[in-house]
Amino acid sequence: MHEILTVLESDARATPERIAALTGIPEDEVRAAIAGWEADGVIRRYKTVVDRDRLGDSRVTAFVDVTVAPERGRGFDDVAERIARFREIRAVHLVSGAQDLRVEVEGASMKEVADFVAQKLSGVDRVTATSTHFLLRRYKDDGQLLIDPEPDHRLSVMP
């Protein structure tokens, strides 16, 4: 049944009929599986990958590494959940390494993102340090290449 999710992850517009044809799973089972996953929250939403550079969108994205002061018996979930509630936040991940969380922030300008980090994010209880990395260009997003394919310079071969 995971084949159904694999198809939907690569093409959110795939119909149950198409998924059934691709996977060999009967269409009624595909529909039932999708409905169950939607009800259980396994499928959260259907997503379109947009190339914002081609669109001319000038929004700014930054990845912020966040260090959190540990507190016995609380872990990182409470801080991560608090950070996730800010409207400027697009994603929050618990990571291994020198920092504890990696946060994706979006704003209208670098100043807006910097102000958010300085005034809101760094003020969250138990956040002890942040390191901000501004996104300069996306080459691949959510598994989708955002660069033009290389032209084929091979000569045509005639039989």
Side-chain angles (χ1 to χ4, degrees), residues 53-104:
D53 289 339
R54 287 184 193 225
L55 185 62
D57 188 342
S58 61
R59 284 186 282 186
V60 175
T61 300
F63 300 101
V64 182
D65 295 331
V66 180
T67 305
V68 177
E71 189 171 300
R72 186 176 297 257
R74 293 185 69 187
F76 298 105
D77 290 346
D78 62 326
V79 176
E81 289 169 8
R82 213 166 332 132
I83 290 170
R85 295 189 194 293
F86 287 111
R87 68 169 181 77
E88 295 89 347
I89 301 295
R90 300 215 5 108
V92 179
H93 303 281
L94 179 63
V95 296
S96 63
Q99 283 75 34
D100 304 305
L101 301 173
R102 165 128 326 157
V103 177
E104 185 176 340

Side-chain angles (χ1 to χ4, degrees), residues 39 75 115 133:
D115 287 346
H133 310 274

Side-chain angles (χ1 to χ4, degrees), residues 24-145:
I25 299 170
E27 187 180 326
D28 59 330
E29 289 181 32
V30 170
R31 287 182 191 283
I34 292 171
W37 289 325
E38 288 172 344
D40 293 343
V42 172
I43 296 176
R44 296 295 190 148
R45 68 179 174 130
Y46 295 90
K47 181 179 178 182
T48 301
V49 177
V50 176
D51 186 340
R52 296 197 179 281
D53 289 339
R54 287 184 193 225
L55 185 62
D57 188 342
S58 61
R59 284 186 282 186
V60 175
T61 300
F63 300 101
V64 182
D65 295 331
V66 180
T67 305
V68 177
E71 189 171 300
R72 186 176 297 257
R74 293 185 69 187
F76 298 105
D77 290 346
D78 62 326
V79 176
E81 289 169 8
R82 213 166 332 132
I83 290 170
R85 295 189 194 293
F86 287 111
R87 68 169 181 77
E88 295 89 347
I89 301 295
R90 300 215 5 108
V92 179
H93 303 281
L94 179 63
V95 296
S96 63
Q99 283 75 34
D100 304 305
L101 301 173
R102 165 128 326 157
V103 177
E104 185 176 340
V105 181
E106 189 174 84
S109 67
M110 289 178 83
K111 181 176 180 352
E112 184 178 294
V113 171
D115 287 346
F116 168 78
V117 172
Q119 296 171 12
K120 292 183 181 177
L121 185 59
S122 64
V124 172
D125 286 342
R126 297 178 42 219
V127 169
T128 60
T130 62
S131 177
T132 303
H133 310 274
F134 284 97
L135 176 69
L136 302 178
R137 181 175 180 196
R138 289 185 196 269
Y139 295 96
K140 190 173 189 175
D141 192 14
D142 201 24
Q144 178 66 47
L145 281 174

Side-chain angles (χ1 to χ4, degrees), residues 150-155:
E150 300 229 355
D152 187 355
H153 295 292
R154 296 179 292 176
L155 296 175

